[in-house]
Amino acid sequence: MPVITCVEDLRLIAKKRVPKAFYDYADSGSYTESTYRANSDDLAAIRLRQRVAINVDQRNTRTTMVGQDVTMPVAIAPTGLTGMQWANGEMLGAIAAEKFGIPFTLSTMSICSIEDVASVTTKPFWFQLYVMRDRGFVKEMIQRAKACKCSALVLTLDLQILGQRHKDLKNGMSVPPRLTLANIIDLATKPGWALRALGGRKTFGNLVGHVKGGDGILTLSQWTASQFDPTLNWDDVAWIKKEWGGKLILKGILDVEDAKLAVAAGADAIVVSNHGGRQLDGAMSSIEALPMIVDAVGHQTEVWFDGGIRTGQDILKATALGAKGSMIGRAFLYGLGAMGEKGVTTMLEILQKELDVSMALTGTKDIRDVNLSNIIRK
């Protein structure tokens, strides 16, 4: 086992251990991937302000997100097909997040079902909802989330239409992997993944039993592709809020006008996000949009950040720009794909240590005191 010093080390291990189609699914953006790259590049362009001769003993990274105590201002973002990075990956990720003390968000398009994750956790997790044309399915998922005692609903708003991801088309990405010659050769080089997959779940767990015509992966994939709803609007958000009745987090906000509408809709938190650069290629980076949205609505609701976080320094920068929390997706998948539950824990430990050290070197003892004075923007 190589010495793991950073999230990039985990990414490289995951790339070797996860089948190419699934690794590329996680590590890609839409079209030219310009927004995907901008998420990381724009974060890197922000400089931290070094301070010295300040007492920074006994630092604190703990805070709250929608009233929930968290070890650091981070939640695991919802990621689709997580169980294809490592067998039963959603269950392992939820276990690691609970032990570490941060929220885990389960995607509608997960391999493990919401009940699967509830069976291995002892504290409430969050559930992410996609709005489908089949409103009966939407209502059913909300009721299942309630039954599993989920403490918040994350409603993703920026996936009414799928942005094209070239790598998925070229890889023939499917679940399970399509048995082309290239994929067979690739799987042969990843025996550990293949062996784990034999004992893991292999379909969309939340969809099983709902779709008429069978629970096979092909049937469920075809149903899903036809179900993303381009008619989604703020009236639907109001209906979902009423059906849910609990903490509602709106994800996919990148515009001030939409942020104001989200607040008017009663969002307990909004997530500044461009879906990891996987939807509108050419949109601004999440970190570029964050300050203007914080200025517009940060006094009315919690504003969180999502997009490009690979280090604890990135978390510090987002916090300095006003984010009350950050969501991490790809860094989570890198850790999971590299070493399963242990990899997720390692990833979280790395981010917290980097955050803690960077706070100290900027003269800050408490994450709740981080602000614009901690950074230098060009």
Side-chain angles (χ1 to χ4, degrees):
M1 177 65 65
V3 175
I4 297 171
T5 61
C6 59
V7 169
E8 175 63 9
D9 289 342
L10 291 169
R11 184 189 72 81
L12 294 174
I13 297 172
K15 188 173 184 179
K16 293 178 180 178
R17 295 183 174 177
V18 177
K20 186 176 189 300
F22 294 127
Y23 174 82
D24 283 352
Y25 172 79
D27 198 33
S28 64
S30 62
Y31 301 101
T32 70
E33 298 190 335
S34 65
T35 298
Y36 168 46
R37 293 189 299 272
N39 277 346
S40 296
D41 291 347
D42 290 353
L43 269 168
I46 299 170
R47 296 289 177 256
L48 295 172
R49 184 182 176 204
Q50 179 174 299
R51 301 296 307 279
V52 298
I54 297 173
N55 181 351
V56 289
D57 191 25
Q58 298 183 1
R59 294 172 302 284
N60 172 55
T61 63
R62 301 190 67 88
T63 183
T64 61
M65 296 173 68
V66 288
Q68 181 173 334
D69 291 331
V70 292
T71 303
M72 60 179 172
V74 165
I76 301 294
T79 55
L81 305 183
T82 300
M84 290 294 107
Q85 301 294 319
W86 191 283
N88 299 333
E90 291 91 354
M91 296 163 72
L92 300 179
I95 291 169
E98 180 179 304
K99 289 179 179 177
F100 197 83
I102 66 166
F104 175 84
T105 314
L106 181 70
S107 170
T108 294
M109 303 311 300
S110 58
I111 300 300
C112 300
S113 71
I114 189 170
E115 290 81 10
D116 287 334
V117 174
S119 73
V120 297
T121 52
T122 62
K123 297 179 181 178
F125 55 96
W126 299 345
F127 182 70
Q128 175 269 336
L129 182 69
Y130 282 126
V131 179
M132 305 296 196
R133 294 177 187 270
D134 183 345
R135 292 300 196 266
F137 172 76
V138 173
K139 190 169 184 177
E140 176 187 319
M141 289 310 308
I142 291 173
Q143 294 306 314
R144 287 169 66 181
K146 286 183 179 180
C148 288
K149 299 185 176 4
C150 292
S151 55
L153 188 72
V154 179
L155 177 59
T156 297
L157 298 173
D158 58 354
L159 200 80
Q160 301 108 304
I161 301 290
L162 280 171
Q164 180 171 298
R165 297 141 201 179
H166 297 337
K167 292 175 184 176
D168 290 349
L169 294 177
K170 292 177 179 178
N171 290 330
M173 214 291 294
S174 64
V175 182
R178 187 182 303 170
L179 293 180
T180 63
L181 178 59
N183 284 343
I184 291 172
I185 294 172
D186 182 46
L187 285 172
T189 68
K190 298 171 175 67
W193 183 94
L195 286 172
R196 288 189 296 272
L198 290 175
R201 287 148 177 81
K202 303 176 183 67
T203 189
F204 295 111
N206 292 321
L207 276 56
V208 172
H210 180 82
V211 180
K212 294 180 180 179
D215 291 333
I217 192 65
L218 181 60
T219 301
L220 296 181
S221 295
Q222 291 172 339
W223 182 84
T224 301
S226 69
Q227 279 293 314
F228 289 114
D229 192 352
T231 71
L232 172 64
N233 60 70
W234 291 104
D235 288 339
D236 295 314
V237 175
W239 173 72
I240 289 168
K241 179 177 173 60
K242 182 178 179 181
E243 287 289 328
W244 171 242
K247 298 285 187 181
L248 181 65
I249 300 159
L250 299 182
K251 183 173 180 287
I253 304 297
L254 208 64
D255 185 89
V256 167
E257 185 174 351
D258 288 337
K260 292 177 179 178
L261 290 169
V263 170
D268 295 285
I270 61 174
V271 187
V272 178
S273 172
N274 52 36
H275 214 95
R278 295 166 64 79
Q279 284 296 93
L280 179 60
D281 191 36
M284 70 172 65
S285 68
S286 296
I287 201 68
E288 183 181 2
L290 177 62
M292 62 183 78
I293 292 176
V294 168
D295 288 346
V297 302
H299 59 293
Q300 296 173 284
T301 192
E302 290 187 23
V303 177
W304 300 349
F305 171 76
D306 168 77
I309 287 178
R310 303 291 186 272
T311 68
Q313 291 89 346
D314 292 337
I315 298 169
L316 182 58
K317 292 172 183 179
T319 305
L321 287 170
K324 298 301 183 184
S326 292
M327 301 193 88
I328 52 173
R330 287 190 177 92
F332 158 60
L333 294 176
Y334 298 153
L336 183 69
M339 297 187 297
E341 179 187 341
K342 181 180 179 182
V344 177
T345 300
T346 299
M347 178 274 300
L348 293 172
E349 290 172 345
I350 288 170
L351 291 184
Q352 186 184 33
K353 183 176 180 180
E354 290 173 342
L355 174 61
D356 176 73
V357 170
S358 299
M359 283 170 50
L361 296 177
T362 59
T364 310
K365 293 180 67 171
D366 196 310
I367 189 67
R368 294 167 295 184
D369 295 331
V370 171
N371 56 46
L372 288 173
S373 70
N374 292 98
I375 61 173
I376 301 170
R377 285 190 287 175
K378 293 183 179 179

